[in-house]
Each structure stands twice: as C-alpha cells, then as structure tokens.
Amino acid sequence: MINIAIDGPSGAGKSTISKLAAEKFGYIYVDTGALYRAVGLYAVRCGVDPQNAEQSESILRDVSIEMIYVSGHQRVYLNGEDVTDDIRTPQISKAASDISAHPAVRQFLLDTQRKLAAENNVIMDGRDIGTTILPDAQIKIFLTASSEDRARRRYDELIAKGEDVTYEGVLSDLKQRDYNDSHRAASPLKAAEDAILIDTTGNTLEKSVEIIVNTIKSRIDCI
C-alpha cells in the first residue's frame, strides 16, 4: 500500500488539498483531525472539560467512531450518529485541540488510523502523521503558510458557513492552537526529518493542489 502523510498547522489547507489530491490518485483520504473533533464533540456534549486529562480519558470507553466513505467522501460517525457537520464549529475545534494533548486519547485513536493505512492506499493528514502515526509512510509532506494567510482562509470558510466570527478572533484562536499543538507533550506538531516542506502562503487553492500533486507524482515514480 502507498501511504502519504501530510502534516502541518491548523488552517494550512491540509484537508482540502489532501482531499483533492486523493481524488486525483484514486486514494482514500483520511482526515485524522475529524477523529479528534469527534472525541471533542462527545466531551462537550457530556459536560467534560477537554483540558482535563482524567475527565477526557473517562469518556473514551463510551466512544465509538467510524469513518465511512460515501462516493469517495468521508463521513464521520460518533456512536452511530453522522456528526460530519457538527464537528466543524470553532467550539469543537478548540475542544479537539485541547483533548488531543492527552496521551490516552491519542493512543485510543492510533489503531483506527493505522488500520486504514494498512488496508488502503491513503493520503492521511494531521499533526503527527509522518512522525508518529505512519513513520514509515513512503511520502511525507509538511504543509504550512503564514498565520495571517491561514487565519484569512479559515475566517472566509466560517463566514461562508454563517458563523459569527471576526478575523482578529480567528487569528488569535489559530495562534493559540499553533502553540498548543507544537508544545504538547504527546506527539507535538513538527515536521518529520524526511518530510518535504511546502509553503502555500499567497497561493490559490488550485496552485497548492498542483504543487502537492506534482510532488507526490515525482515520489511515486521512484517507489
């Protein structure tokens, strides 16, 4: 199986770019952030503080998450409920960032991610795919962009969904999430030593996808 790991900070365009690239290659796209968002959603619904490790660990025994692919598109199910849209709010983004810092949560989701990669050609994106989840992935990419560029993209996306947010608020949240992701004790955000660094600052979506696809093609040809 061909495993492609795409890591990078929040708002770098990993999900959209990875999804479009996966379609071009006919691979399964795995958005690992959606798994943490689902656990974060469950914590919020249960009144659990996502920053509290003990409380977060206590709910894991009641959590069942499935990724189901419908016409090539990923749907996320939490205890049998399709929560694909519910996990994309700023509140759940914050909860996911907080709860992902706990080693017990990361271990809980590890097998799910590796099983998908063992059974399919995948493009998997997240924060620690190339360093922890799939350290033997044949292709590793670290995708980034300036914090201002990433915040603008996220702001536009949330406004399009009807969310009541400000650019300044989105930028502040993004910088805090960057700090949390890169400073957590368990699998912090960082580029794998053998990852290809790609900066998409100022690029259109089409240009970024083209760069990623061409990069993957050049590496696949060598496998």
Side-chain angles (χ1 to χ4, degrees), residues 108-122:
F108 174 72
L109 296 174
L110 181 63
D111 289 343
T112 298
Q113 297 168 78
R114 286 184 173 170
K115 185 173 185 292
L116 286 166
E119 297 175 350
N120 304 276
N121 292 324
V122 301

Side-chain angles (χ1 to χ4, degrees), residues 65-77 80 84 116:
I65 302 173
E66 289 182 284
M67 284 182 153
I68 297 176
Y69 293 86
V70 180
S71 300
H73 297 286
Q74 175 183 278
R75 306 296 297 180
V76 181
Y77 284 77
T84 306
L116 286 166

Side-chain angles (χ1 to χ4, degrees), residues 28-40:
I28 292 293
Y29 162 61
V30 183
D31 171 14
T32 61
L35 296 171
Y36 291 98
R37 286 172 178 270
V39 178

Side-chain angles (χ1 to χ4, degrees), residues 83-155:
V83 295
T84 306
D85 297 325
D86 297 334
I87 61 176
R88 296 297 173 183
T89 67
Q91 180 190 21
I92 302 307
S93 291
K94 176 64 166 56
S97 179
D98 290 338
I99 212 161
S100 69
H102 307 313
V105 175
R106 304 196 73 82
Q107 185 61 42
F108 174 72
L109 296 174
L110 181 63
D111 289 343
T112 298
Q113 297 168 78
R114 286 184 173 170
K115 185 173 185 292
L116 286 166
E119 297 175 350
N120 304 276
N121 292 324
V122 301
I123 293 182
M124 185 179 293
D125 82 82
R127 302 289 193 279
D128 63 345
I129 310 305
T131 54
T132 303
I133 307 303
L134 302 177
D136 296 324
Q138 295 95 329
I139 303 170
K140 300 175 186 177
I141 293 171
F142 193 84
L143 189 65
T144 189
S146 70
S147 56
E148 292 76 14
D149 207 26
R150 290 185 284 124
R152 175 59 62 186
R153 296 173 190 172
R154 181 58 55 84
Y155 171 77

